[in-house]
Amino acid sequence: MRVREVLRPLARYDLPASLVVFLVAVPLSLGIALASGAPVVAGLIAAVIGGVVAGALGGSALQVSGPAAGLTVIMAETISTFGWAVTCAITAAAGLVQILFGLSRIARAALAISPAIVHGMLAGIGVTIVLGQLHVILGGKAQSSAVENIAELPGQIVAHHDAAALIGLLTIAILLLWPRLPKAVRRVPGPLAAIAVATVVSVTAGLTLPRVELPGDLLNIRFAPQLPSTGWGAFALAVFTIALIASVESLLSAVAVDQLHTGPRTNLDRELIGQGAANMVSGALGGLPVTGVIVRSSTNVAAGAKTRASAILHGVWVLLFVVALAGLIENIPLAALAGLLVHVGAKLVNPAYMREVLAHGDLPVYLLTLAGVVVFDLLTGVLAGILLAIVQMLRRTMWSGVHAEREGDGWRVVVEGVLTFLSVPRLSKVLATVPAGSAVRLELIVDYLDHAAFESLTKWQHAHELAGGTVEVDEIGHPWVAEGKAGRPTRSRAAARAMPRWLAPWSAWQAVDAGIPTQQTHRGATEFQRRAAPLLRDTLSGLADEQRPRTLFITCGDSRVVPNLITTSGPGDLFTIRNIGNLVPSKQADPSMNASIEYAVGILGVSEIVVCGHSSCGAMAALADGPPAGPIEDWLRHAEPTAQRGGEPTLDGAKPERANDRLALRNVLQQLDHLREYPKVAAAEAAGELRLTGMYFDVGAAQVHLYDADARTFVAAGVSLGATE
């Protein structure tokens, strides 16, 4: 029974998927071997080993491995430099390095390489492949470098074209048209169909042109690896380069495959060990380097594979195909494989990704890597991209914006970003433009301030004030300068956590102008205009002609209760009524409250009314102790039903320690009862169009509580509620 449970999904999902991947892998493996300048059979060996060994030992269940287009350029250079036998030894040694990478558990570190570099590398490889294989399509021979291919291409284009050009262009045309054909036709992989049609046409038409050559006895491997007699430094560099690039490409492919399915995630360290083992075997048997290949892997997932059995079986099918149908393979024209490679290479240059890196500001890294690969070699291009990425990272990390502008009769100097010794020349230049003796407001919005920048600022401030000017330092965020002047300089960016100015209490950030209370409001309004208004302008412009709040929020006038803050709401969300004690007098007693409720429910159509009380409420204290004679006493007569109300509502099942806080809880429930005496409120609630909510804010604990009518207690916000009253 257990065997049947294992075989049933294997037969239903993995077996069909393996056949689809096999059909895609064979022509790609032949083409990549051709582009690399390796024996054609080396691509098939790598496909078999990649499927069986990497599929069985790797950390990704659905990734399919084999020879990859991403290594064609460097393999061509390696074969040209060392010869094929030594290249096989390099491949095997690179596999050993990959295993060491995996055992060292540094697989995730490889993902630190910028995606712009990886995609730039792939695009450079794609351009190089296209430039070389176009010569083959046009009946010529690829040159030894991309630059030579570019130089020779115009002459090749205008030269006489034979049957090879016809077959190559036919292959490309089929590949371009294949995605537009009916779904039933597209069940056959496009690369397989293109190669098959081109081969049949060339054979039936009797065309004479170069074709694939295989050894007479495929099972007799003659490509045993051989160590070099000299040049060990270059040998080691080639080993490390192939190991690094194959590892990065495999890991990125594995991460991409994980995004295509919901099964087990990849063990990246194990994946490197599996890839390394496959390369050791492939190099020993005369195969090309193996990597995880996104084209085959995505095909595997799309075909419905569920386990690693699909990747393993695809390698078995490649082996059987090569042994049984070697004669058929030798009918394939090289021009057809070149057409396939031109199509594959062109797809490696992804315009959509270029737009993405442009949006993120990494297009220079992408283009430099691409150009370096094309003009020089793959390693040079990648190293150039890494160097530029590091330079950009340092620039962004150490960036500081400094500018000065007139503000009324004085000057405003704004410093943003990271202010370090690298920014001191720019800072000094801008500060020098401020006239001596002027009043200056220095706004510091910095993530980090080092000693050199601190000293430059304080010396300038001292000199400016000696010359008769004034300097007001306004630090928005962490007090870097203030801490430095107090002899407690902050040395770590981690310490620079500060509450946003619009959330912090006034005393936390504003200087107090003794005897001028209105100055606080003036400075607050200025702060809003400078900081918050640009962020809110789009939102407020949409609310300019009408409001559509969803909630009527009735709360106390206490300054510690900030409705939008404790409900995380913004402009246009709350229609707020505030009074002493968050009271809702009867309809006849207070025309103002009556009009507000009628307007909120009848005209604005709010769907919720919240009554919010709070701890340490002065109104509740006055109600309990007896209010002073006068207007407060008159107003608190509306709260007498609260004082007479029975029952003791609780906070999370417990009574508050202070009597006044217990009274505040009863008061919230009493005002909800008063609301239901308003006809429009009662009708809307009965119709299910309006919900009444009791809320209590514990000021000292910064905790919001909502009333749960089923449990008859106020429950901390975030806890599952029953029915609110």
Side-chain angles (χ1 to χ4, degrees), residues 208-584:
T208 302
L209 68 172
R211 300 180 188 271
V212 172
E213 295 182 3
L214 294 177
D217 185 1
L218 287 174
L219 297 180
N220 183 13
I221 304 297
R222 301 186 180 88
F223 306 116
Q226 177 181 323
L227 294 175
S229 56
T230 58
W232 285 97
F235 178 87
L237 180 61
V239 168
F240 182 78
T241 301
I242 291 175
L244 180 62
I245 295 173
S247 298
V248 171
E249 188 168 344
S250 296
L251 294 175
L252 291 176
S253 175
V255 171
V257 172
D258 280 349
Q259 298 173 359
L260 301 178
H261 68 90
T262 57
R265 304 294 90 181
T266 299
N267 181 326
L268 296 178
D269 293 311
R270 177 181 168 182
E271 181 64 20
L272 277 189
I273 294 173
Q275 294 291 334
N279 275 319
M280 290 188 70
V281 176
S282 183
L285 296 180
L288 284 168
V290 169
T291 72
V293 186
I294 189 61
V295 175
R296 302 178 201 190
S297 302
S298 59
T299 302
N300 191 40
V301 175
K306 299 298 182 183
T307 72
R308 63 180 70 246
S310 176
I312 296 172
L313 285 174
H314 119 275
V316 174
W317 305 143
V318 173
L319 176 61
L320 295 177
F321 177 83
V322 171
V323 173
L325 300 173
L328 183 61
I329 294 176
E330 291 182 320
N331 287 318
I332 299 176
L334 295 183
L337 294 178
L340 172 62
L341 284 168
V342 167
H343 183 260
V344 171
K347 291 180 69 175
L348 290 176
V349 185
N350 189 343
Y353 192 81
M354 292 180 66
R355 290 191 293 270
E356 183 177 339
V357 295
L358 174 62
H360 286 275
D362 288 334
L363 185 61
V365 174
Y366 177 92
L367 294 177
L368 180 62
T369 305
L370 187 157
V373 172
V374 172
V375 176
F376 299 102
D377 54 56
L378 190 141
L379 182 60
T380 301
V382 169
L383 291 177
I386 291 174
L387 180 61
L388 181 57
I390 292 174
V391 171
Q392 283 196 333
M393 179 271 294
L394 290 174
R395 177 182 175 275
R396 290 165 179 168
T397 303
M398 308 306 292
W399 173 88
S400 61
V402 186
H403 69 274
E405 59 186 26
R406 279 197 169 277
E407 186 179 58
D409 296 331
W411 283 76
R412 175 177 175 237
V413 179
V414 180
V415 182
E416 300 175 281
V418 176
L419 195 59
T420 67
F421 65 95
L422 296 174
S423 304
V424 169
R426 167 69 176 162
L427 176 65
S428 301
K429 180 180 179 181
V430 173
L431 292 177
T433 64
V434 178
S438 59
V440 179
R441 176 185 176 88
L442 177 60
E443 295 183 14
L444 297 179
I445 317 168
V446 298
D447 299 318
Y448 179 71
L449 182 77
D450 74 356
H451 176 67
F454 168 78
E455 195 169 85
S456 177
L457 277 175
T458 52
K459 285 183 177 179
W460 172 82
Q461 180 183 5
H462 182 66
H464 191 79
E465 290 173 343
L466 284 178
T470 61
V471 179
E472 176 191 348
V473 180
D474 184 10
E475 297 192 82
I476 303 169
H478 187 78
W480 299 98
V481 172
E483 292 287 302
K485 288 183 176 180
R488 303 184 302 270
T490 306
R491 294 179 292 178
S492 171
R493 291 181 67 174
R497 300 180 62 188
M499 186 181 295
R501 297 257 289 240
W502 51 88
L503 298 183
W506 187 275
S507 58
W509 63 271
Q510 281 283 23
V512 177
D513 296 287
I516 315 178
T518 56
Q519 182 70 11
Q520 295 180 345
T521 302
H522 171 79
R523 295 188 65 183
T526 302
E527 173 74 12
F528 167 81
Q529 208 60 45
R530 288 174 178 162
R531 309 287 171 216
L535 303 176
L536 294 172
R537 190 165 288 120
D538 290 342
T539 299
L540 292 174
S541 66
L543 298 169
D545 298 326
E546 65 174 352
Q547 60 167 324
R548 282 294 175 190
R550 293 179 294 178
T551 302
L552 168 60
F553 197 89
I554 302 172
T555 191
C556 186
D558 193 294
S559 62
R560 297 166 295 178
V561 180
V562 186
N564 290 102
L565 175 61
I566 65 175
T567 60
T568 316
S569 53
D573 292 334
L574 303 181
F575 185 75
T576 306
I577 301 174
R578 306 189 67 153
N579 59 45
I580 302 300
N582 47 273
L583 303 181
V584 181

Side-chain angles (χ1 to χ4, degrees), residues 179-196:
R180 298 180 173 86
L181 296 179
K183 186 176 181 180
V185 177
R186 286 187 282 113
R187 290 182 182 275
V188 178
L192 178 66
I195 296 299

Side-chain angles (χ1 to χ4, degrees), residues 2-20 303-310 313 317:
R2 184 173 297 177
V3 174
R4 182 180 299 176
E5 291 176 355
V6 173
L7 293 180
R8 182 176 298 169
L10 177 65
R12 182 177 179 182
Y13 299 108
D14 295 313
L15 180 61
S18 69
L19 291 171
V20 174
K306 299 298 182 183
T307 72
R308 63 180 70 246
S310 176
L313 285 174
W317 305 143

Side-chain angles (χ1 to χ4, degrees), residues 625-715:
D625 300 336
I632 295 179
E633 181 182 23
D634 294 340
W635 174 252
L636 287 181
R637 287 197 182 98
H638 299 303
E640 289 178 358
T642 296
Q644 300 168 6
R645 186 183 181 95
E648 287 288 350
T650 58
L651 289 178
D652 295 318
K655 295 180 181 179
E657 294 181 3
R658 292 182 293 189
N660 293 343
D661 291 344
R662 297 196 294 271
L663 187 60
L665 295 177
R666 296 207 307 269
N667 184 56
V668 169
L669 301 184
Q670 185 63 43
Q671 305 317 310
L672 292 175
D673 289 344
H674 288 173
L675 277 169
R676 293 186 173 97
E677 296 175 2
Y678 285 74
K680 282 192 180 295
V681 173
E685 186 181 29
E689 299 171 353
L690 182 66
R691 176 176 179 170
L692 303 188
T693 299
M695 180 181 290
Y696 179 82
F697 180 51
D698 187 337
V699 176
Q703 177 65 62
V704 174
H705 297 263
L706 300 173
Y707 186 66
D708 185 337
D710 292 338
R712 300 187 62 80
T713 186
F714 284 82
V715 181

